[in-house]
Amino acid sequence: MSVSGKVYLVGAGPGRLAYLTVRGQQLLQQAEVLIHDALVGVELRSLIASTCQQFDVGKRGGKPSTPQAEINQLLVTQCQQGKQVVRLKSGDPFVFGRTPQEIQALKAANCAFEVVPGLSSALAAPLLAGIPLTDPVLSRSFTVLTGHDLDLLNWQLLAGLETLVILMGTRTLADISRRLIKQGKHPETPIALIRWASQPQQQIWQGTLLNIGQLTKAEKLSPCVMVIGEVVRLREFLQMEDVRSAVAQPPLAAQTVLVTRSSGQSSQFSDLLAAQGAKIIEMPALEIRPPTSWAPLDQAIAELASFNWLILTSANAVSYFFERIHDQGKDARSLAGVKIAVVGKKTAAVLRQQGLQPDFIPPDYVADALVAAFPEAVSGLKLLFPRVESGGREVLVKALTAQGAEVTEVPAYESGCPQQIEPAAIAALQQHQVTVITFASSKTVHHACQLLAQTLGDRWRHWLEGVCIASIGPQTSQACYEHFGRVDAEAQEYTLEGLTQAIEQWVQGSDR
C-alpha cells in the first residue's frame, strides 16, 4: 500500500491497447485499485497486476447501473486508504462523462487526483471507418452531441450543420432521423453507424436518414457512434484496410454464442466473448428475484455478532445480503469480528465492491472445495449461509454439519425460470446460426431445456445438433449430460474466463 493515495482519472480511448496513451498504460500497470466503465474491455484490464482490486461500475442504457454517488464515494474511500487508484473511463474523461462530479467529490475529501486524456470515440470511430470529419468542400466543421434528452437540443440549428457526430444515440436513432428531416435535412443525407470501433468485432452500417432504421432493424447497435453528413460518402475512397485485419483474427471470430445467464448478469460474460470476436445472442434462462420472505435473513442480520463465519457462494448472495443490510440502516461494520468465506473470483470481486476482503477463497472455485480446504476446524463454530431459496445443492451444509459446525441457512434470493424465450434466440437456432451454447449453472441447463421444449416442441434437441455444449464446471456438466447426453467444452477453471478459454480450445480442436 502506498504512503499516500491518489486517483488517476484515465481516458481508455476506444478500447484497444494500441490506442491507449503511454501514460495510461504506465498507470494501469502500477494501479492498486481499478475502477472501470462497462465499455473497458479485457485487453486493457490485462495490464493490471494480479493483486489489483477491480470494481466494475459501468453504466449501460436500460440495465442496472452503479449510482454516481456510490462511484464518487468508492473513489474517495480507496484513495483515503492510501491506494493508487485508476478510474478508467472509455474515450476521454471530459467528453460526455461524469468526471467533473468525481473531481468535486475528490476535492471535497482532500484527495489527490490527476486527469489523463484519452482518444474520444467521437474522433476515433469515424477515422477508423474512413470518414473524415472535416473537408474543404463538404464539411468545414463538425458538432458532437449525445442521443440523450433530445427535447433539449435545437434541431433547427442542428439540421443546418454540415457534420454531426452522435454518441449514445442508438436507442433514439429513429427519433433523431425524424427530427432532422422535419427541420429540413434532406432524407438522402448519408449516415454511418460504427459499432465497437477499433475492436475485432467492429461493425459499420451505411445508409441515409430515410433508410438507416430499416437497414439496422434486426441489429444490436450499442455501443455505437453515428456520423451524419456528406463526408460519409468519402468513406468509399478513403477507408483504410479494415482495422480488424491489422491484428490476428480473434479466436472466436466465426462463432455465434448463445448465452443463457440471467439478463442482469450476462453483460460481463458477453463482453468477454465479444472481445474474442464472437457474435453474442442472449437467451436468459434464469431470473433472479427476492426470496418469498425476508424474515429469516433479517433475523440472522440482527444476530450477526453471534456468528464466526459468513459463507457466500455466489455474487447474487453477496448483492442481496448487503442490500438487506443497507435497507436496515447498517453497513459492512456490522460484520466486525465475522470472517468471510467466498466461492469464486466473481463472488470475491462483488464482495470487494462492498469494501471488504474475503478471509478465505477455496482454490477450486466450487462449494465442495470450501469444505475440504477450510482454513480452520469448524467443530463448534457458527456459520451463516445466505443462499438461493430453492434448488441449491445440499452437499456443503451436510458436510459442514457432519464436522460439527452449526450452520444457519437463510434464503437471500430466489432464482426461477423466465416465462418465455427471446425471439432472437429462437430465430438463430432455427436458422442454424448458433455454434455454441453456454451454461454457467445447473439451473440454466434445466430452465433452458424447459424453455426450448415449450417453444420448439418435442424436437427441440434437433435444433442443438452440431452446437457446442459449453459448461462452466462439473456440476453444470452433470446437468448437461442429463439433458443432452454430452458436454463438448468444460472450463478447467470454474470461472467465466475459464469458460471462455474452454470454448476457444474447442474451436481450435474442431478446426472450425
Side-chain angles (χ1 to χ4, degrees), residues 19 124 126-131 235 237-243 245:
Y19 305 122
L127 182 147
L128 294 170
I131 300 171
R235 177 170 176 259
F237 309 102
L238 300 178
Q239 62 180 317
M240 57 180 161
E241 180 184 9
D242 191 334
V243 68
S245 66

Side-chain angles (χ1 to χ4, degrees), residues 148-225:
H148 299 320
D149 302 320
L150 299 185
D151 290 338
L152 301 180
L153 299 173
N154 185 336
W155 289 96
Q156 183 177 10
L157 173 64
L158 292 174
L161 298 176
E162 293 168 318
T163 302
L164 300 177
V165 180
I166 305 178
L167 309 181
M168 299 169 283
T170 56
R171 299 175 72 189
T172 53
L173 172 59
D175 201 6
I176 289 170
S177 297
R178 180 184 60 79
R179 289 172 185 252
L180 288 171
I181 292 172
K182 183 179 179 180
Q183 294 298 329
K185 202 79 168 172
H186 198 286
E188 295 299 322
T189 300
I191 177 173
L193 308 183
I194 306 132
R195 182 172 187 252
W196 287 116
S198 85
Q199 299 294 331
Q201 66 272 32
Q202 176 179 295
Q203 293 173 280
I204 302 172
W205 295 271
Q206 185 173 331
T208 67
L209 290 178
L210 192 61
N211 69 12
I212 192 64
Q214 189 63 33
L215 290 175
T216 60
K217 186 176 181 180
E219 303 288 350
K220 183 177 181 181
L221 300 177
S222 180
C224 196
V225 175

Side-chain angles (χ1 to χ4, degrees), residues 23-349:
R23 177 64 170 155
Q25 184 171 341
Q26 292 171 339
L27 291 172
L28 276 175
Q29 292 170 332
Q30 298 167 8
E32 295 173 291
V33 177
L34 175 65
I35 301 172
H36 65 84
D37 281 350
L39 297 182
V40 173
V42 292
E43 184 180 15
L44 296 189
R45 301 204 301 273
S46 68
L47 291 174
I48 65 172
S50 59
T51 55
C52 179
Q53 285 183 257
Q54 294 189 56
F55 298 89
D56 182 351
V57 297
K59 296 179 171 66
R60 295 295 296 272
K63 297 183 179 181
S65 299
T66 307
Q68 187 60 45
E70 289 187 19
I71 298 175
N72 297 346
Q73 186 55 52
L74 180 61
L75 291 169
V76 169
T77 300
Q78 295 297 324
C79 183
Q80 289 179 336
Q81 292 178 7
K83 304 286 184 66
Q84 297 297 296
V85 182
V86 170
R87 172 70 172 106
L88 193 60
K89 306 170 78 73
S90 58
D92 181 87
F94 274 3
V95 177
F96 298 126
R98 303 292 180 87
T99 304
Q101 296 179 33
E102 295 171 359
I103 289 175
Q104 289 172 6
L106 292 169
K107 293 185 74 171
N110 293 317
C111 292
F113 69 90
E114 177 184 328
V115 183
V116 179
L119 182 58
S120 172
S121 60
L123 302 176
L127 182 147
L128 294 170
I131 300 171
L133 294 180
T134 61
D135 179 82
V137 177
L138 299 179
S139 179
R140 285 149 296 199
S141 65
F142 63 91
T143 299
V144 181
L145 59 146
T146 77
H148 299 320
D149 302 320
L150 299 185
D151 290 338
L152 301 180
L153 299 173
N154 185 336
W155 289 96
Q156 183 177 10
L157 173 64
L158 292 174
L161 298 176
E162 293 168 318
T163 302
L164 300 177
V165 180
I166 305 178
L167 309 181
M168 299 169 283
T170 56
R171 299 175 72 189
T172 53
L173 172 59
D175 201 6
I176 289 170
S177 297
R178 180 184 60 79
R179 289 172 185 252
L180 288 171
I181 292 172
K182 183 179 179 180
Q183 294 298 329
K185 202 79 168 172
H186 198 286
E188 295 299 322
T189 300
I191 177 173
L193 308 183
I194 306 132
R195 182 172 187 252
W196 287 116
S198 85
Q199 299 294 331
Q201 66 272 32
Q202 176 179 295
Q203 293 173 280
I204 302 172
W205 295 271
Q206 185 173 331
T208 67
L209 290 178
L210 192 61
N211 69 12
I212 192 64
Q214 189 63 33
L215 290 175
T216 60
K217 186 176 181 180
E219 303 288 350
K220 183 177 181 181
L221 300 177
S222 180
C224 196
V225 175
M226 301 182 199
V227 184
I228 302 172
E230 293 299 324
V231 289
V232 172
R233 298 188 194 277
L234 297 177
R235 177 170 176 259
E236 178 183 350
F237 309 102
L238 300 178
Q239 62 180 317
M240 57 180 161
E241 180 184 9
D242 191 334
V243 68
R244 292 169 293 180
S245 66
V247 297
Q249 186 79 343
L252 302 183
Q255 308 304 316
T256 297
V257 182
L258 206 59
V259 175
T260 62
R261 298 199 87 203
S262 64
S263 56
Q265 298 178 317
S266 60
S267 59
Q268 180 200 4
F269 186 34
S270 295
D271 288 348
L272 280 170
L273 294 167
Q276 301 306 314
K279 178 181 179 181
I280 309 302
I281 298 175
E282 295 184 0
M283 189 188 83
L286 204 61
E287 205 169 63
I288 307 299
R289 46 186 179 251
T292 303
S293 171
W294 289 113
L297 180 57
D298 289 346
Q299 181 64 34
I301 290 173
E303 300 171 358
L304 269 179
S306 68
F307 291 97
N308 303 106
W309 282 86
L310 171 65
I311 297 177
L312 300 165
T313 58
S314 71
N316 289 319
V318 177
S319 299
Y320 276 89
F321 178 77
F322 282 95
E323 180 180 324
R324 201 61 188 167
I325 281 183
H326 297 151
D327 285 347
Q328 296 188 17
K330 301 179 180 181
D331 57 29
R333 289 173 294 185
S334 304
L335 286 162
V338 181
K339 295 179 181 179
I340 305 175
V342 303
V343 175
K345 288 181 178 179
K346 176 64 175 177
T347 311

